[in-house]
């Protein structure tokens, strides 16, 4: 293309148990909408959203994974290309919180070593059905040295903030270079992202 | 008291132990015949006692007791016969069920990691994980291409790239057209079509 519409491309990945609201979180961020009907994601899907940070147009390619166990062999192959991973649990579902350690292990096994991680406790609008105290989420995030937000895709709480914070954290690690001329690169699992962070 | 002599003849032919033998039998193996033998033996002994009215008195009671014993023995052997028949029937039934379940077990015994697929279920699993993976990859590739095209279109619409910009712009446009026509000619070979080719194959 003659004119690029963005300066940087960040690939993000949403993971977590089935039904915690990964697709809804993404839908809120990309389309600013919410749908109550639960449709289980088949394997893997993605959405694109361009944001502006520090004067740079950043194209976010956000991969939405199926939480169901039967899709894991498909979804784990998408970890490799991710620069940021959002691990989502449901504050009304204790099991989804218990499984966080399992998802963190998955990240260790399948993702890039320097991937930026973030923990989201979704459905925080449903305080009457809450079983996971906010403090427990904060604690586990602190233990693993990652950021934490309680979000609600339904009530639009902290959704944009979470994505922008994750993008900022990635941007901070990104070496200043000429804008990538590649278009949306759909390659998955290959690990070819042309992106390498340089830790100070 | 006319019957006993008759009985004697019968018994002496059939039973080696004689009428006295019935008294030595286990009460649970007693038959009606044995009860008749016993009554014959007792009748004979009572007769030997003479016609004392006390003996006659006793004889009535003994007859009554023997009748009761006969009824019990008859009833008992009938019940035994019924139970025996019932037992045999149940045995046959159990054997039949056992045979059935073992036949079914041989069919169902697939091991812990196997499952049965109902071939008549229109919603049964059909495609492999690799096929799903390929379809998803293709879907996402096409989706990303669509986004690129939409973006380009937006650029043209907003006047960012004038349609008659010159040779460079036109080349861009030509490239788009060829890309589009390539896409349509490639359509026939998409994985989705390949996967569903069995449908057209069935009809021909």
């Amino acid at each position: 293309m003659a004119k690029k519409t963005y300066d940087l491309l960040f690939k993000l990945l949403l993971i977590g148990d089935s039904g915690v609201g990964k697709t809804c979180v993404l839908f809120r961020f990309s389309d600013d909408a919410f749908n109550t009907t639960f449709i289980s994601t088949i394997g893997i899907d993605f959405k694109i959203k361009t944001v502006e940070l520090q004067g740079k147009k950043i194209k976010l390619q956000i991969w939405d994974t199926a939480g169901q166990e039967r899709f894991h062999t498909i979804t784990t192959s998408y970890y490799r290309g991710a620069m940021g991973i959002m691990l989502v649990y449901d504050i009304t579902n204790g099991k989804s919180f218990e499984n966080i350690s399992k998802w963190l292990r998955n990240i260790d096994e399948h993702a890039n070593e320097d991937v930026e991680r973030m923990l989201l406790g979704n459905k925080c609008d449903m305080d009457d059905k809450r079983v996971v105290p906010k403090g427990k989420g904060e604690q586990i995030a602190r233990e693993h040295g990652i950021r934490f937000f309680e979000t609600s895709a339904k009530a639009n709480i902290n959704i944009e903030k979470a994505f922008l914070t994750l993008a900022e954290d990635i941007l901070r690690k990104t070496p200043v270079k000429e804008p990538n001329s590649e278009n949306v690169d759909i390659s998955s699992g290959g690990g070819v992202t042309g992106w390498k962070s340089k830790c100070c | 008291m006319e019957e006993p002599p008759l009985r004697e003849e019968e018994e002496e032919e059939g039973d080696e132990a004689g009428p006295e033998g019935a008294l030595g039998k286990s009460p649970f193996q007693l038959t009606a015949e044995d009860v008749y033998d016993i009554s014959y033996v007792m009748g004979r002994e009572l007769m030997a006692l003479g016609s004392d009215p006390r003996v006659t008195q006793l004889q009535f009671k003994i007859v009554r007791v023997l009748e009761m014993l006969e009824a019990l023995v008859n009833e008992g052997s009938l019940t035994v016969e019924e139970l025996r028949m019932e037992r045999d029937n149940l045995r046959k039934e159990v054997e039949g069920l056992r045979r059935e379940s073992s036949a079914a077990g041989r069919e169902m015994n697939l091991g812990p990691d196997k499952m049965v697929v109902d071939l008549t279920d229109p919603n049964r699993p059909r495609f492999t994980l690799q096929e799903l993976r390929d379809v998803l990859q293709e879907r996402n590739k096409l989706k990303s291409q669509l986004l690129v095209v939409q973006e380009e279109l937006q650029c043209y619409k907003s006047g960012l790239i004038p349609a008659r910009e010159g040779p460079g712009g036109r080349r861009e446009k030509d490239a788009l057209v060829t890309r589009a026509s390539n896409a349509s000619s490639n359509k026939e070979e998409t994985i989705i079509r390949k996967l569903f080719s069995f449908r057209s194959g069935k009809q021909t």
Side-chain angles (χ1 to χ4, degrees):
Chain A
M1 264 189 76
K3 304 242 164 77
K4 271 175 294 296
T5 51
Y6 62 94
D7 303 311
L8 289 164
L9 171 68
F10 288 175
K11 293 185 183 181
L12 310 181
L13 186 75
L14 282 158
I15 61 170
D17 276 16
S18 176
V20 298
K22 298 179 290 298
T23 304
C24 287
V25 164
L26 180 53
F27 194 47
R28 170 61 77 189
F29 180 61
S30 65
D31 295 67
D32 195 24
F34 180 79
N35 197 338
T36 43
T37 48
F38 175 57
I39 300 165
S40 192
T41 303
I42 296 174
I44 185 120
D45 198 358
F46 78 98
K47 281 196 178 288
I48 299 278
K49 170 114 174 166
T50 306
V51 296
E52 207 167 317
L53 283 175
Q54 298 167 18
K56 285 194 175 67
K57 275 194 173 165
I58 297 168
K59 183 170 238 170
L60 300 178
Q61 185 185 79
I62 307 155
W63 291 91
D64 179 24
T65 63
Q68 289 178 340
E69 177 73 35
R70 61 197 179 117
F71 291 118
H72 280 190
T73 47
I74 288 178
T75 54
T76 47
S77 65
Y78 284 79
Y79 282 44
R80 185 63 62 196
M83 294 140 83
I85 295 182
M86 280 178 161
L87 202 179
V88 188
Y89 70 90
D90 171 1
I91 65 151
T92 70
N93 178 349
K95 191 82 197 142
S96 74
F97 183 75
E98 287 167 33
N99 282 334
I100 284 174
S101 52
K102 191 194 79 184
W103 290 110
L104 285 170
R105 260 202 313 280
N106 271 350
I107 294 175
D108 288 342
E109 275 174 38
H110 301 286
N112 290 335
E113 215 174 287
D114 48 13
V115 68
E116 200 62 44
R117 296 169 303 169
M118 175 178 276
L119 182 67
L120 299 184
N122 194 37
K123 307 194 189 179
C124 72
D125 58 292
M126 293 166 78
D127 214 37
D128 51 328
K129 286 184 181 154
R130 175 193 287 274
V131 293
V132 183
K134 192 175 180 182
K136 281 184 86 176
E138 287 167 339
Q139 188 194 333
I140 200 162
R142 209 179 311 119
E143 282 167 12
H144 290 90
I146 58 180
R147 284 191 198 275
F148 170 69
F149 290 105
E150 277 204 344
T151 57
S152 168
K154 191 180 179 186
N156 197 5
I157 301 168
N158 278 341
I159 299 293
E160 192 164 6
K161 191 174 177 186
F163 279 100
L164 292 183
T165 307
L166 185 59
E168 268 170 13
D169 288 344
I170 296 168
L171 182 62
R172 204 166 298 125
K173 297 203 302 192
T174 307
V176 186
K177 60 168 186 179
E178 277 304 294
N180 196 337
S181 61
E182 283 289 303
N183 276 326
V184 180
D185 177 14
I186 211 74
S187 70
S188 68
V192 190
T193 61
W195 176 79
K196 260 186 184 158
S197 84
K198 272 173 195 152
C199 241
C200 36
Chain B
M1 281 296 148
E2 285 168 18
E3 269 193 355
L6 262 170
R7 201 123 283 287
E8 188 179 22
E9 282 171 9
E10 273 176 24
E11 286 308 314
E12 270 173 353
E13 277 167 17
D15 199 343
E16 282 170 41
E20 307 274 348
L23 283 167
K25 269 193 165 179
S26 154
F28 302 108
Q29 282 166 353
L30 224 54
T31 63
E33 298 293 311
D34 294 327
V35 177
Y36 302 146
D37 283 351
I38 290 165
S39 49
Y40 164 72
V41 171
M42 293 186 82
R44 203 172 49 184
E45 281 177 26
L46 280 169
M47 234 199 290
L49 288 174
S51 52
D52 190 315
R54 279 182 300 178
V55 173
T56 315
Q57 199 74 13
L58 187 62
Q59 191 179 331
F60 277 116
K61 284 174 186 150
I62 286 171
V63 167
R64 179 74 193 124
V65 169
L66 286 169
E67 278 171 353
M68 287 163 114
L69 184 61
E70 183 197 12
L72 283 174
V73 165
N74 275 336
E75 170 85 21
S77 67
L78 215 70
T79 312
V80 164
E81 194 51 40
E82 269 173 27
L83 286 174
R84 190 171 291 140
M85 273 167 65
E86 180 122 21
R87 184 198 61 190
D88 290 348
N89 282 341
L90 287 173
R91 234 178 229 167
K92 257 180 236 158
E93 209 168 304
V94 166
E95 263 168 44
L97 285 174
R98 221 173 254 165
R99 232 186 335 244
E100 248 174 63
S101 72
S102 77
R106 233 173 288 125
E107 271 173 46
M108 300 297 287
N109 194 13
L110 294 162
D113 296 330
K114 300 285 186 291
M115 72 172 186
V116 178
V117 173
D118 178 3
L119 291 177
T120 60
D121 178 6
N123 222 359
R124 69 185 183 272
R126 273 192 189 79
F127 305 114
T128 65
L129 192 66
Q130 188 54 47
E131 284 168 336
L132 176 62
R133 198 196 296 265
D134 292 346
V135 169
L136 285 172
Q137 204 147 350
E138 181 167 343
R139 194 268 312 257
N140 289 333
K141 199 175 92 193
L142 293 172
K143 195 169 157 182
S144 76
Q145 284 175 353
L146 173 69
L147 288 171
V148 169
V149 170
Q150 277 177 337
E151 234 166 62
E152 284 182 27
L153 184 65
Q154 202 54 44
C155 290
Y156 281 109
K157 274 186 177 168
S158 63
L160 215 67
I161 306 168
R164 287 175 204 146
E165 195 185 45
R170 202 162 283 165
R171 220 186 295 130
E172 192 66 37
K173 211 180 175 188
D174 291 345
L176 254 175
V177 171
T178 43
R179 210 187 297 174
S181 64
N182 275 349
S184 65
S185 67
N186 281 343
K187 241 184 193 172
E188 325 258 328
E189 292 149 30
T190 63
I191 292 158
I192 293 165
R193 291 202 171 231
K194 266 188 233 160
L195 288 179
F196 282 86
S197 61
F198 68 88
R199 292 200 169 204
S200 52
K202 244 181 199 172
Q203 282 161 353
T204 49

